Amino acid sequence: MDMKKRIHLELRNRTPSDVKELVLDNCRSNEGKIEGLTDEFEELEFLSTINVGLTTVAHLPKLNKLKKLELSDNRISGGLEVLAAKCPNLTHLNLSGNKIKDLSTIEPLKELGTLKSLDLFNCEVTNLNEYRDNVFKLLPQLTYLDGYDKDDKEAPDSDNEVYAEGLDDDEDDEDDEEEYDEDTAPGDEEEEEGEDDEEENEEEDDDDLSGEEEDEDLNDREVDDEDDEEEERGQKRKRELDEEGEEDDDD
């Protein structure tokens, strides 16, 4: 696919000023030029042109906000002095697999004061004696060269870190969903609370009814007891009268 068509597809109905990342890997450049890439991409922060046949970066448009530039596996052998003017805020530059043979070729990069990471894997310059020490001296603003700092500590893989954070977020979302499923949804909680209240009211009503029935039973027992007492008093009075009558007969 040619470069111009690829850029058109990458836009996806957006305007160039809306694009922050642009990947044009393995496209065909036209005589080493990136056709279709203009200074209208003013918000562009990441540009990848891996294996597109570039021989120079002289035709890059001015990209003031560009921070990361991937140029690996091309045929660039010089002309890097234009980067300071065209990409003044560049922090990461990958020139791996290009035709860079000596330190003088990369010397213009010292004008990129913001440059923190430079990759020159598979370039002839890496075969020079004391290559790493000399590059760090030549470009004192560098923190990482070919993925390692001056003390041979590996640079953090920002892409993997972002990916890991994305996974963590997904796991957190899944955990939240599981907790949400285990716990009752708010509407269901309200329904359950309403059902619990109804059950409590029914139990209270049953308790009230039971209490009333117990009161009625108690009243019935009291009435029965009073009737029994009256009957017993009546029988006792009758016996007394009979005894008085017998005494009168004896007299």
Side-chain angles (χ1 to χ4, degrees):
M1 182 182 295
D2 64 53
M3 194 76 69
K4 215 167 185 177
K5 186 175 181 181
R6 177 65 175 271
I7 290 176
H8 178 73
L9 291 175
E10 286 287 328
L11 283 174
R12 300 189 193 97
N13 297 320
R14 296 175 294 174
T15 62
S17 59
D18 292 329
V19 179
K20 290 189 175 183
E21 296 186 4
L22 191 59
V23 178
L24 305 174
D25 300 347
N26 303 311
C27 292
R28 294 191 304 273
S29 61
N30 183 13
E31 297 180 356
K33 298 177 183 179
I34 307 176
E35 285 192 318
L37 184 64
T38 68
D39 55 11
E40 291 179 339
F41 289 83
E42 55 189 16
E43 298 295 322
L44 196 64
E45 295 181 2
F46 173 79
L47 174 62
S48 183
T49 55
I50 298 173
N51 188 33
V52 298
L54 286 181
T55 57
T56 179
V57 291
H59 303 294
L60 274 177
K62 189 169 180 63
L63 301 169
N64 283 327
K65 293 190 177 181
L66 193 69
K67 294 180 179 179
K68 189 170 183 178
L69 180 58
E70 292 278 349
L71 295 170
S72 58
D73 299 328
N74 284 290
R75 300 195 299 273
I76 298 169
S77 59
L80 300 181
E81 59 274 1
V82 301
L83 291 178
K86 294 178 178 290
C87 312
N89 293 300
L90 204 62
T91 60
H92 294 72
L93 177 61
N94 191 342
L95 289 166
S96 301
N98 279 279
K99 298 183 179 299
I100 297 172
K101 299 179 180 181
D102 50 54
L103 293 177
S104 61
T105 305
I106 62 171
E107 186 174 1
L109 298 179
K110 63 184 178 183
E111 300 300 324
L112 283 168
T114 57
L115 190 64
K116 299 300 179 186
S117 177
L118 175 65
D119 288 305
L120 296 168
F121 287 113
N122 298 323
C123 292
E124 288 186 39
V125 67
T126 61
N127 297 323
L128 296 177
N129 291 332
E130 298 183 349
Y131 151 72
R132 288 183 59 79
D133 290 340
N134 288 329
V135 172
F136 277 119
K137 288 177 183 177
L138 183 65
L139 307 173
Q141 77 273 35
L142 278 187
T143 302
Y144 299 104
L145 175 62
D146 300 332
Y148 291 85
D149 67 9
K150 294 178 182 178
D151 300 321
D152 289 331
K153 291 182 180 178
E154 189 173 6
D157 190 338
S158 59
D159 293 335
N160 286 342
E161 286 176 358
V162 170
Y163 180 64
E165 287 174 5
L167 287 181
D168 291 340
D169 291 341
D170 292 340
E171 289 175 358
D172 291 339
D173 292 341
E174 290 176 1
D175 292 340
D176 292 340
E177 288 176 2
E178 289 176 0
E179 290 177 1
Y180 183 82
D181 291 339
E182 291 173 359
D183 298 334
T184 309
D188 295 338
E189 287 179 356
E190 291 176 1
E191 290 179 3
E192 287 186 358
E193 288 176 0
E195 291 174 358
D196 292 341
D197 291 340
E198 289 179 2
E199 291 176 359
E200 288 177 2
N201 292 334
E202 289 177 359
E203 289 176 359
E204 289 176 0
D205 292 340
D206 292 340
D207 292 341
D208 292 340
L209 290 172
S210 300
E212 290 175 1
E213 290 174 356
E214 289 177 359
D215 291 341
E216 289 178 359
D217 292 340
L218 182 59
N219 291 334
D220 291 342
R221 286 198 296 273
E222 289 177 353
V223 170
D224 292 340
D225 292 341
E226 289 176 359
D227 292 342
D228 292 340
E229 288 177 0
E230 288 181 2
E231 184 178 351
E232 190 175 328
R233 283 197 296 272
Q235 291 177 355
K236 184 177 181 183
R237 179 63 178 164
K238 184 178 180 182
R239 285 197 299 274
E240 289 176 351
L241 290 174
D242 291 342
E243 288 175 357
E244 288 178 359
E246 289 176 357
E247 287 177 358
D248 291 339
D249 291 340
D250 292 339
D251 293 340

